[in-house]
Each structure stands twice: as structure tokens, then as C-alpha cells.
């Protein structure tokens, strides 16, 4: 069983399988709402009013932008900064603060790399 490449090692629940393109060349055969989106691996959006999957037959398209900055503190130590912004066409990102799903997500990161 494949997962569309979006999430490694993900196994969908029993009864979930990829579309049979021989019987449905469009790949639009409906699946159960807990099966995810087998077409692009990112899954359907969530309706915040009901908390349910908005349309189990339509997966979200995802876009991402990552910017990074490296600063060499010494010849053997580097400080790295990164900001990443993800956006989707549906509410797929869970916001912990509001306990709702939203269409975008921003992440900041910093790390120190020491080589020896």
C-alpha cells in the first residue's frame, strides 16, 4: 500500500487502498474520511465549525517556503537560523492555541553545529 509520498511509513486503516485506475481513470473514487488523501499525501481539510473532514474526496494542495541563515562563530562552530512558512488550500494545520485547524503554519528554528 502506498501513501502518496507525503508521509513516510504511514499506514492507512483497514479498508483504505489506492484508487483502481483501471475502473476509474480519474482516480476520484470516494474513500472513507479517515483514509487520508492517497493522491497527494497531504489529506483533506477540516471544517472548524463541525470538527469533521470537509470533503473526504478532495485533498489539500500544500506550498512551503523556507529561508535560512548561517553564521560561522568559529571555524568549527556554526549557528543556523531557519524560518519556514507552510500554506495549504484547506484547513489542514492544527493550531494548538485555538484548538482549530488553519490554512497556514510558521515555524522558527535555531541550531548550533559543531564539527570536530
Amino acid at each position: 500500500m502506498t501513501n502518496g509520498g507525503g508521509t513516510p511509513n504511514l499506514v492507512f486503516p483497514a479498508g483504505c487502498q489506492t484508487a483502481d485506475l483501471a475502473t476509474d481513470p480519474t482516480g476520484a473514487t470516494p474513500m472513507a474520511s479517515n483514509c487520508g488523501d492517497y493522491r497527494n499525501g497531504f489529506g483533506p481539510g477540516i471544517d472548524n465549525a463541525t470538527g469533521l473532514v470537509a470533503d473526504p474526496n478532495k485533498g489539500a494542495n500544500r506550498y512551503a517556503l523556507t529561508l535560512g541563515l548561517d553564521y560561522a562563530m568559529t571555524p568549527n562552530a556554526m549557528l543556523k537560523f531557519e524560518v519556514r512558512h507552510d500554506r495549504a488550500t484547506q484547513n489542514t494545520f492544527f493550531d494548538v492555541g485555538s484548538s482549530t485547524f488553519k490554512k497556514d503554519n510558521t515555524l522558527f528554528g535555531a541550531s548550533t553545529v559543531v564539527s570536530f
Side-chain angles (χ1 to χ4, degrees):
M1 179 179 308
T2 99
N3 68 1
T7 49
N9 301 321
L10 176 71
V11 178
F12 292 128
C16 296
Q17 58 188 16
T18 57
D20 181 4
L21 297 179
T23 58
D24 182 8
T26 66
T29 303
M31 293 176 63
S33 62
N34 65 342
C35 290
D37 176 23
Y38 56 89
R39 292 174 295 248
N40 67 11
F42 204 64
I46 304 296
D47 181 1
N48 283 318
T50 64
L52 301 173
V53 173
D55 182 358
N57 299 316
K58 183 177 180 186
N61 291 317
R62 183 179 69 87
Y63 312 94
L65 174 67
T66 303
L67 301 172
L69 176 69
D70 294 347
Y71 175 73
M73 299 184 302
T74 69
N76 294 337
M78 183 174 291
L79 188 59
K80 294 184 170 196
F81 297 97
E82 178 181 331
V83 62
R84 178 183 172 104
H85 183 74
D86 292 292
R87 180 133 177 98
T89 56
Q90 299 183 40
N91 295 325
T92 56
F93 299 102
F94 184 70
D95 182 19
V96 176
S98 66
S99 294
T100 61
F101 288 83
K102 58 184 185 172
K103 291 183 179 182
D104 63 336
N105 189 47
T106 303
L107 174 74
F108 297 97
S111 62
T112 303
V113 179
V114 179
S115 60
F116 49 93

